[in-house]
Amino acid sequence: MRAPDLDLPLRQWAHALALASLAFASTALSNGWSLPGIDPVHEPEPALTAALLERANAARAAAGLAPTAWDDGLARAARAHAAELAARGVLDHAGASPETRTLADRLVRAGVPYTSVGENLAFERGFADPVETVVQGWLDSPPHRANLLNPEFDRVGYGSARDASGARYVVQVFAATRWLPTHASAGLETIAAHRLRMDVAVTAPRSVAGVLEVNGDVERVTWTPGTMSLDRTVAVLPATLRLAIDVGRPAFSVDESGTVDDAGAWRASIAPRRWLEVSSAVAAPFVQTLVRVRFDVDPAVGALLLVDGRHVPQASREPGTLDVAVPIADGERVALALAEPLGDGRLLVRHALVAERRGGSVALEAGR
């Protein structure tokens, strides 16, 4: 329900309540897993928002539903929107700027990587018990009640703000955590590997973007005029190398290729070699220490694993598990995340953690 005409004299708002609701199913909120978490706004009435959480969860319990847990990211989005509504003097799910136009936009700015979200709004002025008035108003309105008693929603955040007349704007934002790993574990293991060192003569007139592919593992490289020395680790020999230049459209043109054979010697193959040439490449055996991280996941979800923001397609997958071995030096940290493909080329992170190698052990902590 939309707010009444705000041009009415303030005396007619002595006891006023207006509501608005919004719900999205599987709304895409991010094109990556590094979310900004911006627009911090101070909550002027923390006791009010805490009481709203308690009262709404009591209503859910009465309906036989689990409570919604407080989520700082959702609250950050709710506070920012409440402050904007109070400043504008309107009750509206649409923000005033392109960055806050939709609930999805606001959640991205708040750093919230959820889908299946909903939003309830309320305008309140002059009631002795604003918490009961607002929550009961939501319960008495079918679309607001559907959000508040949605069994899929398990996270919530609240925000409030007052306008110059003292009227209060309340924002309630829900989200569903559609899946999370039930467990994550990590340990150290050692493997026999080979340290590959190559010198690349670059005769391009200027730095040029390109890629280096080693045994099918592709990474972006900026080829800089002169001699570039690159060190990589390969699990087995022979190792196949391809060096390519970005020629636009987008496309890459292979300019040099070859193999490092079982003896660790470079064997060049036929390639244009316009700007790139491997002048030497050798491989030496060594024992590599890896950190192996294992996730127990919902087998019904097509999870992808990201390591430092990069998809790792070679992660081992069995029903209900996903694990990967990552080289981490003592004292180093690596960010890992499980992401859900959205079907349009984007990934949405569902769970993140940080692994840190500490001597002979590995520590895991929750990530953003």
Side-chain angles (χ1 to χ4, degrees):
M1 182 170 66
R2 305 295 293 178
D5 185 353
L6 293 179
D7 291 331
L8 291 174
L10 287 178
R11 64 177 178 273
Q12 297 190 35
W13 287 90
H15 297 280
L17 175 67
L19 308 172
S21 70
L22 181 70
F24 292 122
S26 299
T27 302
L29 301 182
S30 172
N31 61 1
W33 77 285
S34 181
L35 298 175
I38 59 177
D39 284 349
V41 175
H42 173 69
E43 170 57 55
E45 298 181 277
L48 173 82
T49 53
L52 286 167
L53 173 67
E54 182 179 359
R55 175 65 180 87
N57 276 339
R60 288 177 64 90
L65 301 175
T68 49
W70 181 273
D71 186 284
D72 287 337
L74 297 176
R76 190 159 53 242
R79 290 195 300 268
H81 194 47
E84 180 183 306
L85 295 180
R88 295 167 57 199
V90 299
L91 195 68
D92 196 344
H93 290 289
S97 68
E99 294 79 12
T100 64
R101 188 75 67 198
T102 68
L103 175 57
D105 295 327
R106 296 192 291 275
L107 292 180
V108 168
R109 288 179 66 82
V112 180
Y114 291 111
T115 60
S116 298
V117 295
E119 181 179 75
N120 284 342
L121 307 180
F123 172 97
E124 178 275 326
R125 178 184 173 88
F127 288 94
D129 189 344
V131 171
E132 181 62 27
T133 300
V134 168
V135 175
Q136 191 58 51
W138 284 334
L139 291 170
D140 291 340
S141 167
H144 300 83
R145 182 182 183 88
N147 275 343
L148 202 155
L149 300 184
N150 187 332
E152 184 182 7
F153 291 153
D154 59 4
R155 298 286 189 274
V156 72
Y158 292 84
S160 72
R162 291 179 183 265
D163 63 17
S165 72
R168 181 186 284 115
Y169 293 79
V170 177
V171 178
Q172 178 188 49
V173 181
F174 294 100
T177 307
R178 292 171 60 189
W179 58 270
L180 284 175
T182 57
H183 183 256
S185 60
L188 294 178
E189 65 179 45
T190 58
I191 64 169
H194 299 269
R195 185 172 286 111
L196 173 63
R197 179 180 178 85
M198 70 192 85
D199 290 331
V200 181
V202 182
T203 58
R206 61 184 181 280
S207 296
V208 59
V211 295
L212 169 65
E213 179 184 336
V214 180
N215 280 351
D217 188 10
V218 180
E219 63 179 284
R220 290 189 175 273
V221 175
T222 298
W223 301 113
T224 304
T227 298
M228 293 180 60
S229 296
L230 303 175
D231 291 290
R232 298 296 184 269
T233 298
V234 295
V236 296
L237 294 179
T240 300
L241 279 64
R242 295 202 304 168
L243 293 72
I245 296 170
D246 187 347
V247 294
R249 295 192 300 275
F252 293 90
S253 174
V254 175
D255 205 56
E256 170 71 299
S257 63
T259 60
V260 178
D261 63 20
D262 293 337
W266 169 246
R267 304 290 182 186
S269 62
I270 298 174
R273 297 192 187 90
R274 178 186 177 193
W275 286 339
L276 306 177
E277 182 176 359
V278 175
S279 55
S280 68
V282 295
F286 77 108
V287 176
Q288 184 179 37
T289 300
L290 303 174
V291 171
R292 181 167 293 279
V293 181
R294 171 173 172 156
F295 294 94
D296 295 334
V297 300
D298 181 349
V301 176
L304 302 178
L305 180 63
L306 307 178
V307 177
D308 281 339
R310 182 182 178 191
H311 177 217
V312 181
Q314 63 268 31
S316 175
R317 182 188 300 271
E318 296 179 3
T321 65
L322 190 66
D323 70 272
V324 65
V326 184
I328 308 178
D330 190 13
E332 287 187 347
R333 296 159 61 90
V334 64
L336 302 104
L338 293 183
E340 178 183 358
L342 297 177
D344 57 359
R346 294 181 295 169
L347 299 176
L348 185 68
V349 168
R350 293 298 193 178
H351 185 71
L353 58 80
V354 175
E356 180 180 358
R357 180 179 166 189
R358 299 175 182 173
S361 64
V362 181
L364 292 179
E365 62 184 54
R368 285 193 72 244

